Amino acid sequence: MQTLTHTLLPQLSAQGHPRNPGMPLDLDWVASAQANTSAIERRAATLPGRRSVKKDHQAAWLCKAVSLIDLTTLSGDDTAGRVQRLCAKARQPVAPWMLERLGMTGLTTGAVCVYHDMVATAVRALEGTAIPVAAVSTGFPAGLSPLHLRLAEIGESVADGAAEIDIVISRRHVLTQNWQALYDETAAMRAACGEAHMKAILATGELGTLRNVARASLVCMMAGADFIKTSTGKEGVNATLPVTLTMVRAIRDYEDRTGFKVGYKPAGGIAKAKDALVYLSMMKDELGHDWLQPDLFRFGASSLLGDIERQLEHHLTGAYSAANRHAMG
Amino acid sequence: MTIKEIFDTMSYGPAPESSAEALAWLAKHKNSFGHWIDGAFTKPGQTFATKNPATGTELAQVTQGTDTDVTTAVAAARRAQPKWAALSGHQRAKHLYALARLVQKHSRLLAVLETMDNGKPIRESRDIDIPLVARHFYYHAGLAQLLASELPEQRPLGVCGAIIPWNFPLLMLAWKVAPALAAGNTVVLKPAEYTPLTALLFAELTREAGLPRGVLNIVTGDGETGAALTAHPGTDKIAFTGSTSVGRKIREATAGTGKALTLELGGKSPYIVYDDADLDSAVEGLVDAIWFNQGQVCCAGSRLLVHEGVADRFYTKLKRRMDGLRLGDPLDKCIDVGAIVDPVQLASITAMVDANTQGTTYRAACDVPAGCFYPPTLITGLSAASTLMQEEIFGPVLVSMTFRTPEEAVALANNTRYGLAATVWTENINLALDVAPKLRAGVVWVNATNLFDAAAGFGGVRESGFGREGGWEGLLAYLRPATAAKPLKRITAFPEPKTPVIPDLDRTAKLYIGGKQARPDGAYSQPVYSPGGKLQGHSGIGNRKDIRNAVEAAHAAKSWARTTGHARAQILYFIAENLSARAPEFAARLRDLTGTNGQPEVDAAIDRLFTYAAWADKYDGQAKSVPLRGVALAMNEPVGVIGMLAPDEAPLLGLISLMAPAIAMGNTCVIVPSEPFPLAATDFYQVLDTSDLPAGVVNIVTGPHADLAKPMATHLDVDAVWSFSSTPLSAAIETQSAGNLKRTWVNHGKARDWFGPQAQGREFLRHATAVKTIWVPYGE
């Protein structure tokens, strides 16, 4: 199973970067991390105005965005049927005639992201594809169940075939600046993931300050996170550009000091094709081309794909599109 | 490239903004323009080309303004001015409001035309320049509305000549035109020769705004045209933004004419990064500081000072960021750095950088298009002595050195002839708020850079010029007090009689320098006689060395500026108290000197000391309402060392009328007292001596005004010169002040009633202070 993960799933290792092994907790580094909220907000506010991609370039960038989506359903009313439909959409995210005309036949989403109970269903539905299944885990979304159960949950999802585990951190450790506890817990989760890649969800909307976001990002990377991710999608505020800037700067610092590349996943609130383009240009400018590949970047999104489909059809036909012309996920 | 190939490379591709509408507007005018005078375009005269620097192609021919053109424009402005000033504030406000709306309605056309003419990225003209233009007119519509009720004693100056630079063509027009019009002035504006087009388009919009003919006139041309406008006797004010060297010429050309003058000149603004700063945000700040508008920004943070311990990390981050900058077609919406305004400017930047042999030069590893482009450049490892650390490059070139302590950073930051802006990055509020007041600059940005707003004053100190643009303080630069002044007669000493009456005991009046009585350097004295021929004593004849010594003493006392307003008030009260105790003696002295009853003057002097003791802790700054989560603090800072030629006619009251507001606001001063009646001042230093005034805060050098004015006005370490002498020195002082562009306040031969209300108050306090705007964005 673990070997299969590597051979079948280029989303996890397309570029051959070594996994982040983590490092001992460096509290001096954590304490020195700064994030000036006002300056970060101003930078974020100008980002959409600084970059623009048009015509064929825009179409190509939108296809790229599709390839980076963790197509997600995380609802209490999820059923096997619902998950199967989602997986079918992941396999064929854009209508075949459109992909053919774009020269992008074979395009799939980056992954499918579900609760543990749906992992097996999703794995079966995606058989024969290179699309990994990501499972949200560790008492998602609050992360307040007993630690041994949270760790056990990871093991079960991995056993069911999840190649990626989206864990949630204990926000209380950040809010009380208990970095040691956060590190220990996150390191234990990484160990529990084994060969599965770990995305650490910071739930940034509940961390209070961007400085906390920066410090929590560093601690999670030190603890061996393969990805750091903004949100569960269940907090009041999910992925934002200021939070993203803060986290990608932490990723850049981490690579500077350790040589290891850690992935980034904004999740929640990214619903428009235009937003996706801003995120992509930001990744390209702040971290570089490597972070435009699925092993280092994902969108956690459910409705984004629909808007991208409509924009792509507009690109092909010149006429503005309608949602009902595209298959539901 | 196929979509699949782009998918793999993820390149940006072109994203051009259309130039069609702007080209159509130019074509509508047959790509040829005259001036805009009296509400219409004149026929093109002798023309020159204005080009798109990014492509080198000609955009249009514009007319070289002649002396006659300037005269015609000034005459039109003069005709229009009384009626414009007679409109109610509300009526003027409606015109300014209409202009703001029109700028917004035509915002894209203005932005595209600006980018084509100047070479700046469309993102900047679209998202920064033009919105700020509209904001400026909105704000000043409000000032026009409120002017009569808020500043009832103020009147417009008349016709204002405005000369603006090429780096922010329309924005600089707005900064000059909006306050001038709000205040009831009319304007003749000369845009820069490289970038006249948006001014001409704006002129056309004034017709749509219903602006009366002649209220705004645009005369295009080069420096000759600007010189003609400066020299024209029909202008009441010159407002200039541009280089320090041209500013100096304008100072000299307007000297003695009585024209009001504001100068917004060059800079070499420090950008300080402390070790606890958010380094990534500070790097982004630099992008907005020195790679904004290709670094062609007077207030560009061009002098990077980094805490030594984080310098290597910071430079690494900075270089990586530089490599990501995209140079190219300014009309492309995906471009960070556009074209240099003109090949002449490119050559100047290139020559300055090529001449440098020090430090390490890093050029951004980005593609540099052929033509008028210069790559973002960083030069590290320079010292304060390096030419590039001192001279303004006015291009995308950042120079840098390191520092060790907060104090050393301030010292290095202030080690410059300029004083326009400064930037401070630290997460420590104690450090930020300690450093900001210590930086010699008109604008300080904390954890941000290049923030501008119509409500916040902008302008410099030292050789970066004087005057503020924006806010109430900016409006005041277009107003004058309502009172009309009479000519001032020359007042001379009473002559030596044939048989002088000699007092019983000789009394020797000395100079007062650094808290000590000092004999004049030249060891010459002159007798002072009463009207009745009685010898009153001798006064020292000070010379330039005494002025030098006094200025040094005044600088040594600069900690006075850091004392509290309350403490300064206490000392002013104490001076008043001690003067009061000796009131009969001073009254007698004044009677003996001038032949008139001295008691009213002593009483008025004590009253005046009380007035400024009262003001010392009440001339409050403001927290400006800027569109930002944060505050822009307008701090009234002391000007520094002020040289003063006191009025001749009121020997005690005149001196105190100048001294008291100056020291109340934290300045130190060198005073040359009344030339014919100096002994009241020399008696007065005994009062100062017993009033706890720190040594050097007030220095008194007696002597002939004509001799002492020059060493004061030319002294490069004097920050301002005030002259109310009856000797006609105004022109000479204004001319000589050009050396370090010190501020001047001279009487132009006009009298002032030193007993009346116009001899005290806010006008004096404004001259004794410079507004420093400290921007403090916040948020956690």
Side-chain angles (χ1 to χ4, degrees):
Chain A
M1 182 68 215
Q2 286 167 357
T3 319
L4 280 179
T5 303
H6 274 283
T7 45
L8 284 181
L9 303 173
Q11 274 87 338
L12 302 187
S13 58
Q15 302 178 93
H17 301 306
R19 277 184 82 179
N20 170 31
M23 59 173 276
L25 178 63
D26 182 342
L27 283 172
D28 288 341
W29 182 6
V30 174
S32 72
Q34 298 286 12
N36 186 285
T37 301
S38 166
I40 289 169
E41 285 174 351
R42 280 196 307 280
R43 163 79 175 143
T46 66
L47 276 167
R50 287 181 197 258
R51 291 290 178 259
S52 175
V53 259
K54 294 291 172 199
K55 303 194 168 152
D56 278 1
H57 282 80
Q58 189 178 93
W61 280 55
L62 291 177
C63 289
K64 176 62 77 176
V66 170
S67 76
L68 299 171
I69 292 175
D70 281 3
L71 202 60
T72 302
T73 184
L74 295 170
S75 299
D77 58 1
D78 284 345
T79 60
R82 161 77 181 123
V83 169
Q84 283 156 1
R85 195 175 77 201
L86 191 80
C87 290
K89 187 67 179 172
R91 286 166 171 262
Q92 186 67 60
V94 177
W97 73 267
M98 286 168 59
L99 288 184
E100 197 171 315
R101 280 190 52 191
L102 291 164
M104 292 298 302
T105 299
L107 184 71
T108 69
T109 67
V112 164
C113 182
V114 293
Y115 269 115
H116 167 77
D117 258 23
M118 298 294 153
V119 170
T121 307
V123 167
R124 272 195 302 278
L126 291 169
E127 257 172 25
T129 73
I131 305 170
V133 173
V136 297
S137 193
T138 67
F140 183 94
L144 286 168
S145 46
L147 179 60
H148 71 275
L149 294 183
R150 283 183 272 153
L151 294 174
E153 188 185 1
I154 293 173
E156 297 208 8
S157 291
V158 172
D160 276 4
E164 304 178 4
I165 302 294
D166 290 18
I167 62 111
V168 290
I169 66 161
S170 296
R171 279 75 112 181
R172 60 192 181 281
H173 294 329
V174 178
L175 296 173
T176 58
Q177 314 286 300
N178 191 348
W179 305 117
Q180 188 68 53
L182 177 65
Y183 176 86
D184 292 345
E185 217 175 80
T186 311
M189 290 174 182
R190 163 68 200 268
C193 285
E195 287 297 308
H197 283 214
M198 182 174 85
K199 307 196 195 96
I201 302 174
L202 304 188
T204 55
E206 294 178 350
L207 298 187
T209 67
L210 289 181
R211 190 178 302 104
N212 276 346
V213 170
R215 293 177 179 179
S217 296
L218 288 176
V219 172
C220 287
M221 289 186 282
M222 291 172 185
D226 295 292
F227 263 71
I228 52 176
K229 174 179 169 184
T230 57
S231 323
T232 63
K234 311 292 185 190
E235 292 87 49
V237 180
N238 297 296
T240 64
L241 291 177
V243 157
T244 299
L245 256 181
T246 307
M247 291 174 72
V248 300
R249 286 172 174 179
I251 289 171
R252 192 165 61 202
D253 275 348
Y254 188 80
E255 189 196 5
D256 277 354
R257 294 219 197 171
T258 67
F260 291 102
K261 296 178 196 289
V262 172
Y264 177 65
K265 178 177 172 184
I270 305 166
K272 298 287 174 199
K274 205 175 169 186
D275 299 337
L277 295 176
V278 172
Y279 274 92
L280 290 179
S281 64
M282 188 164 167
M283 299 313 292
K284 179 177 167 72
D285 287 2
E286 294 286 337
L287 292 174
H289 184 77
D290 286 356
W291 274 267
L292 295 173
Q293 309 303 326
D295 55 348
L296 288 176
F297 183 74
R298 302 283 179 81
F299 287 109
S302 43
S303 59
L304 171 64
L305 180 56
D307 194 51
I308 292 178
E309 288 174 275
R310 292 192 300 127
Q311 300 310 320
L312 286 173
E313 188 176 18
H314 171 243
H315 173 76
L316 291 170
T317 65
Y320 291 111
S321 179
N324 64 314
R325 297 170 56 81
H326 304 281
M328 279 174 70
Chain B
M1 271 209 288
T2 65
I3 287 174
K4 181 67 170 66
E5 282 163 351
I6 301 168
F7 179 90
D8 290 334
T9 60
M10 287 295 282
S11 57
Y12 278 113
E17 178 71 45
S18 169
S19 59
E21 287 80 0
L23 290 171
W25 180 77
L26 291 171
K28 189 180 94 183
H29 290 276
K30 301 188 169 55
N31 298 72
S32 180
F33 292 88
H35 309 299
W36 178 268
I37 295 175
D38 213 14
F41 280 115
T42 62
K43 271 174 59 181
Q46 191 177 4
T47 61
F48 61 92
T50 182
K51 292 179 179 176
N52 180 341
T55 60
T57 54
E58 180 181 318
L59 294 169
Q61 288 283 326
V62 295
T63 299
Q64 168 66 21
T66 63
D67 289 2
T68 314
D69 295 336
V70 168
T71 299
T72 312
V74 170
R78 180 62 65 194
R79 279 195 305 278
Q81 201 267 332
K83 230 173 149 180
W84 177 248
L87 291 182
S88 71
H90 175 58
Q91 285 169 310
R92 284 202 303 277
K94 286 196 287 186
H95 285 293
L96 290 164
Y97 178 76
L99 286 171
R101 299 291 284 226
L102 281 161
V103 167
Q104 286 186 319
K105 282 185 268 194
H106 298 283
S107 61
R108 193 54 56 90
L109 178 60
L110 286 163
V112 171
L113 190 63
E114 194 80 303
T115 283
M116 290 168 71
D117 207 12
N118 166 278
K120 66 174 64 198
I122 185 70
R123 178 190 78 85
E124 294 179 10
S125 52
R126 180 195 66 202
D127 295 349
I128 299 169
D129 289 52
I130 306 304
L132 282 173
V133 170
R135 162 80 180 137
H136 221 75
F137 280 100
Y138 278 124
Y139 180 84
H140 283 85
L143 286 185
Q145 179 77 25
L146 299 177
L147 175 61
S149 63
E150 297 302 306
L151 297 170
E153 299 303 315
Q154 299 286 331
R155 298 292 175 270
L157 296 167
V159 175
C160 297
I163 301 168
I164 59 170
W166 44 256
N167 55 348
F168 295 91
L170 192 65
L171 183 56
M172 291 301 103
L173 175 146
W175 282 21
K176 304 283 183 273
V177 170
L181 266 47
N185 304 281
T186 54
V187 174
V188 178
L189 177 133
K190 190 201 82 74
E193 59 176 312
Y194 295 152
T195 56
L197 295 177
T198 46
L200 296 169
L201 173 54
F202 181 84
E204 225 175 54
L205 297 184
T206 63
R207 189 152 51 191
E208 286 184 53
L211 199 70
R213 305 190 293 136
V215 170
L216 174 66
N217 306 274
I218 310 278
V219 179
T220 53
D222 61 9
E224 300 272 304
T225 312
L229 182 57
T230 303
H232 199 284
T235 53
D236 301 297
K237 172 185 172 107
I238 298 296
F240 172 74
T241 297
S243 71
T244 294
S245 59
V246 175
R248 199 167 270 138
K249 283 182 195 159
I250 290 176
R251 168 69 288 183
E252 288 166 353
T254 55
T257 61
K259 287 181 197 189
L261 178 65
T262 44
L263 299 173
E264 201 273 88
L265 308 175
K268 190 79 183 176
S269 297
Y271 188 102
I272 307 173
V273 180
Y274 287 107
D275 58 4
D276 67 340
D278 174 354
L279 296 185
D280 287 297
S281 289
V283 166
E284 286 305 329
L286 273 171
V287 172
D288 291 335
I290 187 67
W291 294 304
F292 172 53
N293 202 15
Q294 297 69 249
Q296 303 165 135
V297 183
C298 50
C299 57
S302 54
R303 202 157 47 99
L304 171 63
L305 305 171
V306 193
H307 223 142
E308 199 171 323
V310 296
D312 286 344
R313 263 180 74 210
F314 190 75
Y315 290 147
T316 303
K317 284 174 178 288
L318 180 57
K319 288 173 187 171
R320 177 163 45 199
R321 183 68 182 89
M322 289 167 69
D323 293 346
L325 291 170
R326 289 169 53 81
L327 260 73
D329 177 7
L331 276 177
D332 190 305
K333 288 178 274 193
C334 204
I335 282 298
D336 299 310
V337 181
I340 302 296
V341 71
D342 189 86
V344 171
Q345 183 64 15
L346 179 65
S348 157
I349 297 165
T350 308
M352 283 187 82
V353 175
D354 289 354
N356 174 57
T357 55
Q358 298 170 320
T360 310
T361 302
Y362 182 80
R363 284 172 204 279
C366 51
D367 295 333
V368 183
C372 214
F373 292 87
Y374 197 90
T377 301
L378 166 70
I379 307 176
T380 52
L382 293 180
S383 67
S386 308
T387 306
L388 291 188
M389 215 66 197
Q390 296 289 342
E391 300 297 329
E392 186 176 35
I393 300 172
F394 224 64
V397 182
L398 178 66
V399 296
S400 180
M401 58 186 287
T402 60
F403 65 85
R404 298 168 297 172
T405 63
E407 280 307 312
E408 188 174 60
V410 170
L412 287 168
N414 289 340
N415 185 213
T416 171
R417 287 179 289 127
Y418 295 110
L420 190 49
T423 301
V424 180
W425 287 86
T426 171
E427 290 299 299
N428 179 348
I429 189 171
N430 300 306
L431 179 60
L433 295 183
D434 182 47
V435 165
K438 291 177 179 167
L439 293 168
R440 293 281 281 143
V443 185
V444 176
W445 293 294
V446 175
N447 291 328
T449 204
N450 279 346
L451 301 178
F452 308 102
D453 184 61
F458 181 90
V461 298
R462 294 180 170 170
E463 291 184 33
S464 293
F466 44 77
R468 293 291 177 267
E469 300 187 286
W472 288 99
E473 58 268 43
L475 186 70
L476 282 163
Y478 289 87
L479 292 164
R480 61 171 176 81
T483 48
K486 293 185 187 119
L488 174 63
K489 285 197 210 96
R490 183 77 190 267
I491 298 160
T492 51
F494 294 109
E496 181 176 354
K498 283 185 185 138
T499 49
V501 184
I502 306 301
D504 293 346
L505 181 62
D506 179 76
R507 273 182 70 188
T508 310
K510 298 203 178 69
L511 313 184
Y512 185 63
I513 294 174
K516 293 195 177 72
Q517 300 185 28
R519 289 201 174 78
D521 170 83
Y524 285 102
S525 297
Q526 64 182 16
V528 179
Y529 296 100
S530 72
K534 186 175 174 192
L535 179 66
Q536 297 297 307
H538 289 80
S539 72
I541 301 180
N543 65 14
R544 61 194 172 86
K545 290 188 181 168
D546 296 311
I547 294 290
R548 176 199 66 190
N549 295 344
V551 170
E552 275 177 26
H555 273 287
K558 68 183 173 192
S559 63
W560 178 248
R562 295 197 294 275
T563 57
T564 62
H566 173 71
R568 294 197 292 268
Q570 293 304 300
I571 287 173
L572 282 159
Y573 282 128
F574 199 15
I575 294 171
E577 182 186 325
N578 288 326
L579 178 59
S580 176
R582 293 173 61 178
E585 176 201 335
F586 271 87
R589 174 66 106 179
L590 289 167
R591 184 200 59 223
D592 291 346
L593 286 169
T594 65
T596 55
N597 177 12
Q599 192 59 48
E601 183 170 343
V602 176
D603 291 345
I606 293 167
D607 185 323
R608 194 134 297 159
L609 286 163
F610 260 63
T611 294
Y612 291 107
W615 270 120
D617 56 2
K618 293 175 193 66
Y619 192 52
D620 300 327
Q622 289 181 303
K624 295 297 184 77
S625 179
V626 289
L628 169 86
R629 190 184 62 219
V631 285
L633 299 170
M635 313 272 278
N636 291 318
E637 293 203 335
V639 170
V641 174
I642 305 178
M644 300 168 170
L645 297 168
D648 291 318
E649 63 272 33
L652 180 68
L653 177 60
L655 178 147
I656 285 173
S657 298
L658 304 189
M659 177 202 82
I663 67 174
M665 294 297 106
N667 300 281
T668 58
C669 44
V670 175
I671 310 177
V672 181
S674 169
E675 181 175 325
F677 314 124
L679 297 179
T682 53
D683 291 346
F684 183 64
Y685 67 60
Q686 295 171 353
V687 173
L688 296 178
D689 240 358
T690 55
S691 303
D692 292 347
L693 184 72
V697 173
V698 174
N699 305 276
I700 297 173
V701 178
T702 52
H705 288 185
D707 295 347
L708 297 178
K710 187 176 176 187
M712 237 158 38
T714 57
H715 199 305
L716 298 177
D717 214 3
V718 168
D719 299 293
V721 172
W722 299 355
S723 173
F724 294 90
S725 173
S726 71
T727 309
L729 291 166
S730 298
I733 288 170
E734 287 187 337
T735 306
Q736 289 154 359
S737 72
N740 67 339
L741 287 159
K742 61 175 66 65
R743 294 167 60 177
T744 56
W745 185 26
V746 296
N747 60 6
H748 293 293
K750 294 290 189 340
R752 189 179 283 261
D753 175 7
W754 296 101
F755 289 83
Q758 69 271 42
Q760 66 178 19
R762 288 184 180 270
E763 185 185 7
F764 286 75
L765 295 166
R766 275 198 297 274
H767 282 283
T769 53
V771 175
K772 175 188 275 181
T773 305
I774 303 175
W775 291 75
V776 189
Y778 50 69
E780 178 65 54

